[in-house]
């Protein structure tokens, strides 16, 4: 997959991993469109990345998605890469009287169902390009859950399964499907779960660029590779390692 002269949509591109991915692609002569729910934060991000196109949009909101898709078809018909990065996570304990259902509902909508909806609506434009890609930003917890992020882990497991299925479904088209699986990353998004101990968003973005160039479809960043291998050789040990046991 080429990494320059693309037209790229990055959801949740105003901060964290999405911002760094946008920064990397801007430096490689790509047209980059970023979305986010917070207009002020999106505007600030765009100011840091000259040439980036900001569009206020919440991927979990059906009307916002319809407006976004309409704008993309009419103004950016060369769109050929969609990076599904927007996400939602809640830290909670299933053994306590928490809002587990509410949390799970929000996570499944944002991290899984909304991605299916957006991909479905953008597939016609992607399939019309000579070379195109969908990138799902998943997580190490897609295959080994963390009990503190139980429902988030489940949403990413669903995304992982869907990513494998849609990759097979699109194998005879121009659309390649990549899944980016970071470990803990040092972002505002992960502060509550000790993100300061994680890798940099820049490292994640660089690994994505490398993997696109080399058509590595499941991208196990940093410690994710170790946990993935351990989950194959000893699922019980992987679960213990992921949960600090």
């Amino acid at each position: 997959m080429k990494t320059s002269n693309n037209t790229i949509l990055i959801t949740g591109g105003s901060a964290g991993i999405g911002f760094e991915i946008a920064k990397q692609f801007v430096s490689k002569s790509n047209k980059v469109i970023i979305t986010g729910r917070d207009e002020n934060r999106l505007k600030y991000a765009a100011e840091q990345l000259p040439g980036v196109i900001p569009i206020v949009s919440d991927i979990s909101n059906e009307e916002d998605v319809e407006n976004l898709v309409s704008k993309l078809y009419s103004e950016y018909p060369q769109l050929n890469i969609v990076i599904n990065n927007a996400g939602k996570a809640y830290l909670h304990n299933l053994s306590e009287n928490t809002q587990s259902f509410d949390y799970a509902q929000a996570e499944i909508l944002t991290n899984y169902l909304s991605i299916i909806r957006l991909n479905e609506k953008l597939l016609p434009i992607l399939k019309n390009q000579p070379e195109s890609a969908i990138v799902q930003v998943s997580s190490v917890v897609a295959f080994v859950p963390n009990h503190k992020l139980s429902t988030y882990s489940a949403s990413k497991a669903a995304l992982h399964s869907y990513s494998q299925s849609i990759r097979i479904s699109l194998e005879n088209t121009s659309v390649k499907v990549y899944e980016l699986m970071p470990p803990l990353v040092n972002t505002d998004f992960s502060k509550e779960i000790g993100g300061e101990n994680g890798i940099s968003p820049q490292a994640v973005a660089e690994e994505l660029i490398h993997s696109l160039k080399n058509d590595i479809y499941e991208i196990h960043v940093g410690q994710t590779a170790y946990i993935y291998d351990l989950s194959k050789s000893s699922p019980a040990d992987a679960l213990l390692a992921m949960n600090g046991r």
Side-chain angles (χ1 to χ4, degrees):
M1 182 74 201
K2 64 176 182 172
T3 57
S4 60
N5 300 311
N6 299 290
T7 300
I8 304 170
L9 171 69
I10 305 173
T11 66
S14 64
I17 295 172
F19 179 86
E20 287 298 327
I21 292 173
K23 185 177 180 180
Q24 292 275 343
F25 276 119
V26 165
S27 71
K28 295 181 180 296
S29 302
N30 294 283
K31 180 178 290 184
V32 179
I33 305 156
I34 60 173
T35 72
R37 292 174 294 177
D38 188 315
E39 184 174 5
N40 290 331
R41 189 161 69 171
L42 194 65
K43 182 180 178 182
Y44 178 76
E47 289 171 352
Q48 313 309 306
L49 301 172
V52 156
I53 302 156
I55 301 176
V56 179
S57 182
D58 178 354
I59 66 159
S60 66
N61 182 288
E62 185 174 4
E63 184 178 354
D64 277 14
V65 172
E66 291 292 346
N67 291 336
L68 172 64
V69 169
S70 177
K71 188 176 184 69
L72 292 171
Y73 271 84
S74 63
E75 298 182 23
Y76 306 101
Q78 290 79 36
L79 178 74
N80 71 315
I81 298 180
V82 174
I83 301 178
N84 291 303
N85 171 71
K88 185 166 286 188
Y90 294 100
L91 193 70
H92 61 110
N93 190 326
L94 290 173
S95 70
E96 298 174 354
N97 183 20
T98 66
Q99 296 174 276
S100 295
F101 175 82
D102 293 335
Y103 293 156
Q105 187 175 51
E107 289 164 337
I108 285 290
L109 176 58
T110 302
N111 303 339
Y112 177 54
L113 295 176
S114 293
I115 290 172
I116 295 176
R117 176 168 58 197
L118 186 60
N119 285 345
E120 179 181 292
K121 291 182 179 298
L122 293 179
L123 270 176
I125 196 171
L126 294 176
K127 289 163 74 173
N128 198 41
Q129 312 302 336
E131 184 179 41
S132 58
I134 293 170
V135 179
Q136 324 274 46
V137 180
S138 181
S139 169
V140 62
V141 299
F143 42 82
V144 181
N146 183 300
H147 77 286
K148 294 180 181 178
L149 291 165
S150 54
T151 50
Y152 173 78
S153 298
S155 72
K156 291 298 187 180
L159 179 61
H160 174 56
S161 177
Y162 163 70
S163 298
Q164 291 179 312
S165 295
I166 194 173
R167 182 180 299 121
I168 294 171
S169 297
L170 293 171
E171 62 186 1
N172 293 321
T173 74
S174 65
V175 188
K176 300 176 180 180
V177 178
Y178 300 82
E179 185 178 0
L180 178 63
M181 301 177 178
L184 185 65
V185 182
N186 187 5
T187 65
D188 288 342
F189 182 81
S190 63
K191 272 184 178 178
E192 194 177 4
I193 56 171
E196 67 276 4
N197 299 312
I199 66 172
S200 70
Q202 180 181 350
V204 178
E206 288 173 352
E207 189 66 28
L208 172 61
I209 297 291
H210 169 78
S211 298
L212 287 173
K213 282 182 180 178
N214 294 281
D215 282 336
I216 300 170
Y217 297 113
E218 289 199 0
I219 308 164
H220 302 152
V221 185
Q223 280 293 101
T224 298
Y226 165 73
I227 293 293
Y228 177 78
D229 290 341
L230 187 60
S231 73
K232 295 298 185 183
S233 61
S234 179
D237 286 342
L239 191 62
L240 292 174
M242 178 63 74
N243 290 277
R245 295 294 193 270

